[in-house]
Amino acid sequence: MQKLDTAVATQYAAQVKAVFFDIDDTLYMKDGDLLRESVEPALRRLQDTGILVGIASGRVEASFPEKITALTKRLGIDTFVTGNGQFVKCKGKILRNAALPVATLQPLIHFLQTHHIDYATLNNDALKVSAITPKLRGALDPITLNYQVDPNYYLHHPVLQVLAFFNESQDHLFKHNPILDGLKVLRWHEESVDIFIESGSKAMGIACVAEYLGFGMENVMAFGDGLNDIEMLSEVGVGVAMGNAHPELVPHAKHQTLAVHEDGVAAFLAQIPWSE
């Protein structure tokens, strides 16, 4: 990790009004279900100096790890950008709830069923799957066990995004496919992708919060490690990639800290004189 110049660190202390954190492999190590002891005091220090602390995740709240849910309750964190920016809640107010139109979902689900591809449909409060299969469990179980079988959930409930469970050998089915017009596909696991509104991103969700609270994206710091963090780290004032970040994410960040297992979040934040 490159040490911050003192002048830059002091500038960030004055500039930043909110800090958003990705969950998996940023705040929390999903392999091993581990939340490093350094995380809570680092976030509490931010709050104690008047900085808004928010979560920005590809997960929905229904699939948050128990340790993250407990952390947010202990710290009173009430600002969430979930489903890759499709759902945004700040201080109890829903700012964005970008459900996919049924007219878009129906042909997509039919396509997945035709090609025998397992899928999940999500809103902020629920995660439903088409079937429980080894491929689906291999990708989803390390993330959450809080899901139920309901292949037709999307017909009766709003859906923020779809998870499709397939590996790169089937990527050709989705390339240049009109079934995906207006949709974005991001791979988050060797056996799964997120599918959601093309214009959606964590950055868009954070911008909703910034506008609501009356400051700009230049006043936001964010930490992330995955491909779904590219827009977020590019568009905030201070984007920080983890040491374990995907190589394609790093060029979009202003800084890179240590890896999640090396207390990267706390190490970076400790360089900034927040209380001065």
Side-chain angles (χ1 to χ4, degrees):
M1 180 180 73
Q2 184 178 9
K3 191 177 187 305
L4 283 180
D5 179 83
T6 301
V8 172
T10 302
Q11 174 192 329
Y12 289 165
Q15 172 185 341
V16 173
K17 299 180 184 299
V19 184
F20 281 84
F21 300 92
D22 171 53
I23 294 177
D24 294 300
D25 297 325
T26 296
L27 281 184
Y28 164 84
M29 297 168 61
K30 66 175 181 286
D31 291 336
D33 183 29
L34 179 63
L35 182 66
R36 300 280 290 185
E37 291 183 4
S38 64
V39 169
E40 185 165 344
L43 271 56
R44 192 179 296 278
R45 183 187 177 205
L46 290 175
Q47 293 178 318
D48 289 345
T49 54
I51 305 295
L52 175 79
V53 172
I55 300 295
S57 178
R59 292 181 185 247
V60 292
E61 283 188 70
S63 66
F64 277 14
E66 290 183 9
K67 291 179 179 178
I68 291 295
T69 297
L71 176 71
T72 62
K73 290 179 178 178
R74 287 196 302 273
L75 295 180
I77 294 172
D78 59 6
T79 300
F80 300 96
V81 173
T82 62
N84 288 309
Q86 304 308 97
F87 187 89
V88 181
K89 183 168 61 177
C90 180
K91 301 183 182 298
K93 182 178 177 62
I94 296 174
L95 305 182
R96 176 175 167 82
N97 190 2
L100 289 161
V102 174
T104 299
L105 278 168
Q106 282 184 320
L108 173 62
I109 297 298
H110 178 70
F111 174 81
L112 296 175
Q113 291 171 337
T114 299
H115 291 279
H116 306 289
I117 295 173
D118 300 324
Y119 60 89
T121 50
L122 296 72
N123 63 32
N124 198 51
D125 303 314
L127 194 161
K128 306 296 183 180
V129 300
S130 56
I132 296 176
T133 63
K135 180 178 288 189
L136 182 145
R137 292 191 62 190
L140 200 53
D141 283 9
I143 299 295
T144 182
L145 299 176
N146 184 25
Y147 57 83
Q148 302 80 37
V149 175
D150 187 350
N152 297 317
Y153 181 77
Y154 71 98
L155 293 174
H156 311 290
H157 300 85
V159 170
L160 299 175
Q161 70 180 41
V162 174
L163 307 184
F165 297 90
F166 64 93
N167 60 38
E168 292 181 354
S169 69
Q170 291 181 292
D171 279 355
H172 66 280
L173 296 174
F174 294 81
K175 288 182 179 177
H176 311 298
N177 192 324
I179 207 78
L180 295 173
D181 286 351
L183 298 174
K184 179 186 297 186
V185 179
L186 284 176
R187 182 165 291 282
W188 61 272
H189 185 274
E190 62 184 12
E191 292 286 358
S192 188
V193 300
D194 292 332
I195 304 175
F196 54 99
I197 295 172
E198 187 173 36
S199 60
S201 68
K202 294 182 185 182
M204 176 181 285
I206 291 172
C208 290
V209 173
E211 181 179 6
Y212 177 65
L213 296 178
F215 52 80
M217 291 291 274
E218 70 274 11
N219 302 121
V220 178
M221 177 183 289
F223 290 78
D225 71 288
L227 295 177
N228 63 341
D229 296 316
I230 287 176
E231 295 92 345
M232 178 172 75
L233 298 196
S234 300
E235 296 181 31
V236 299
V238 187
V240 184
M242 302 299 292
N244 50 280
H246 192 290
E248 292 180 28
L249 174 67
V250 176
H252 298 275
K254 186 165 286 187
H255 302 284
Q256 186 171 23
T257 186
L258 301 174
V260 60
H261 66 276
E262 299 172 311
D263 300 308
V265 164
F268 188 86
L269 293 174
Q271 298 184 76
I272 302 173
W274 298 107
S275 59
E276 299 179 12

